[in-house]
Amino acid sequence: MSEAKSKPDLNRPEKLKAFDRLLTVMDELRENCPWDKKQTLETLRHLTIEETYELSDAILENDLPEVKKELGDIMLHMVFYARIAQEKGEFDVADVLNGICEKLIYRHPHIYGDVKAEDEAQVKANWEKLKLKEKGNKSVLGGVPKSLPAMVKAMRIQEKARGVGFDWDDQAQVWDKVQEELAEFKEEIEQNEKEKAMDEFGDVLFSMVNYARFVGIDPEEALERTNKKFIKRFQYLESESKKDGKTMGEMTLEEMDQYWEKAKEL
């Protein structure tokens, strides 16, 4: 196995010192704070999910100071989980860090071994093949978390299938599939077949996620941008109509549209 070399990190001592400080603070909180002493893996779980979404918001807003803050919150949670596991005699933070290092080295044979990978697609393909060899991964799709939001899950399913060669050849084929699914959805709606229409609508969304992937768009981010845009414009409608003495729920659609069009100009 070849040894990959990296440039020396002149700030490494400060980084290690900061991580050691976090471990020390975690130990002190776990031993002395009534709230921290009561926490379990289960009680922290929903808090970690919340922190992850807050990090996602900061990234979408390109708010780097907030990204730094949220990364700190998530790192605290990771150290917290490891501390709890250490108390149970299962593993500690060193086991966690060494584990991820070993996995990264194993899954990057083009860096640490003799495998050749000329582009990102080859790297992803090698990654999925190596995952299949690992214990517990009987399916290419086995590593997709069941609790992922549906749109994110669709993206991950498609990426993993592509990693083993199961994918369309070009985006024109994918767009044709989108049109096909839209026609089938429309047909079921026109026939008032609600259950079948729901299935077809799912197919439409799945095919749209597929097309977004082909043209390099993250569908989850795209939809969230639209959500934020709608919220901003709707709140403008609320605030400006209130200034004019009008009440939401009592205005006509035409009146509201006037404010909406103004909001689009901002």
Side-chain angles (χ1 to χ4, degrees):
M1 177 181 289
S2 62
E3 289 294 331
K5 295 183 178 179
S6 60
K7 296 179 181 179
D9 184 352
L10 300 180
N11 291 326
R12 182 64 61 85
E14 287 301 313
K15 294 175 182 177
L16 294 175
K17 182 179 178 181
F19 190 69
D20 179 69
R21 184 184 182 197
L22 175 59
L23 294 177
T24 299
V25 170
M26 183 72 259
D27 289 343
E28 293 171 346
L29 293 178
R30 186 65 174 171
E31 293 168 6
N32 300 300
C33 174
W35 186 87
D36 289 281
K37 288 164 67 174
K38 288 181 62 178
Q39 301 313 303
T40 66
L41 298 176
E42 291 75 20
T43 62
L44 287 175
R45 175 181 171 275
H46 75 281
L47 297 175
T48 306
I49 294 172
E50 181 179 331
E51 296 293 354
T52 303
Y53 277 108
E54 289 178 357
L55 172 62
S56 176
D57 285 344
I59 292 172
L60 289 176
E61 295 291 340
N62 196 29
D63 187 342
L64 294 183
E66 192 67 15
V67 169
K68 180 180 73 173
K69 172 181 172 294
E70 297 303 338
L71 283 174
D73 290 340
I74 289 176
M75 290 190 74
L76 168 63
H77 281 234
M78 301 305 101
V79 169
F80 211 150
Y81 287 123
R83 167 67 197 229
I84 294 173
Q86 178 182 320
E87 294 168 5
K88 296 176 177 289
E90 296 294 333
F91 58 82
D92 61 20
V93 71
D95 297 318
V96 173
L97 298 177
N98 284 323
I100 186 59
C101 287
E102 292 300 325
K103 183 168 74 173
L104 289 172
I105 291 170
Y106 173 72
R107 292 191 187 172
H108 288 78
H110 55 289
I111 302 296
Y112 299 98
D114 301 322
V115 174
K116 300 296 182 182
E118 302 298 333
D119 54 32
E120 179 187 2
Q122 285 184 301
V123 172
K124 288 185 176 180
N126 289 339
W127 181 280
E128 295 301 338
K129 289 175 182 177
L130 288 169
K131 286 186 70 173
L132 275 178
K133 294 180 181 179
E134 295 174 10
K135 183 178 180 180
N137 285 314
K138 298 179 180 179
S139 168
V140 170
L141 306 181
V144 180
K146 295 178 181 179
S147 58
L148 274 180
M151 186 167 291
V152 178
K153 185 186 292 186
M155 187 77 165
R156 293 295 295 129
I157 288 171
Q158 293 169 9
E159 288 175 341
K160 286 182 174 293
R162 179 179 178 81
V164 292
F166 187 76
D167 203 3
W168 299 93
D169 292 325
D170 58 67
Q171 67 187 55
Q173 294 174 316
V174 186
W175 184 247
D176 287 342
K177 186 64 176 176
V178 171
Q179 298 299 314
E180 176 188 324
E181 298 296 354
L182 279 169
E184 291 176 359
F185 171 62
K186 182 180 179 182
E187 181 181 348
E188 298 301 345
I189 287 293
E190 290 174 347
Q191 294 181 7
N192 199 31
E193 294 283 355
K194 293 297 178 66
E195 285 297 319
K196 292 181 180 179
M198 180 177 291
D199 290 341
E200 293 301 338
F201 186 66
D203 291 345
V204 169
L205 292 177
F206 194 84
S207 63
M208 285 298 297
V209 169
N210 219 349
Y211 188 74
R213 179 173 58 84
F214 259 79
V215 297
I217 293 174
D218 184 322
E220 179 74 14
E221 180 178 346
L223 181 57
E224 183 58 17
R225 286 188 182 188
T226 296
N227 289 339
K228 289 179 178 294
K229 182 168 58 179
F230 184 92
I231 290 170
K232 181 179 179 181
R233 291 175 180 175
F234 192 83
Q235 290 178 339
Y236 175 89
L237 188 165
E238 289 177 312
S239 62
E240 294 303 308
S241 62
K242 185 176 181 181
K243 289 178 184 178
D244 293 339
K246 298 179 180 179
T247 303
M248 292 294 293
E250 296 180 1
M251 288 186 290
T252 65
L253 181 58
E254 289 73 16
E255 288 177 308
M256 289 188 285
D257 273 340
Q258 292 178 8
Y259 291 102
W260 187 265
E261 291 301 320
K262 290 180 181 178
K264 289 168 65 176
E265 298 173 0
L266 299 179

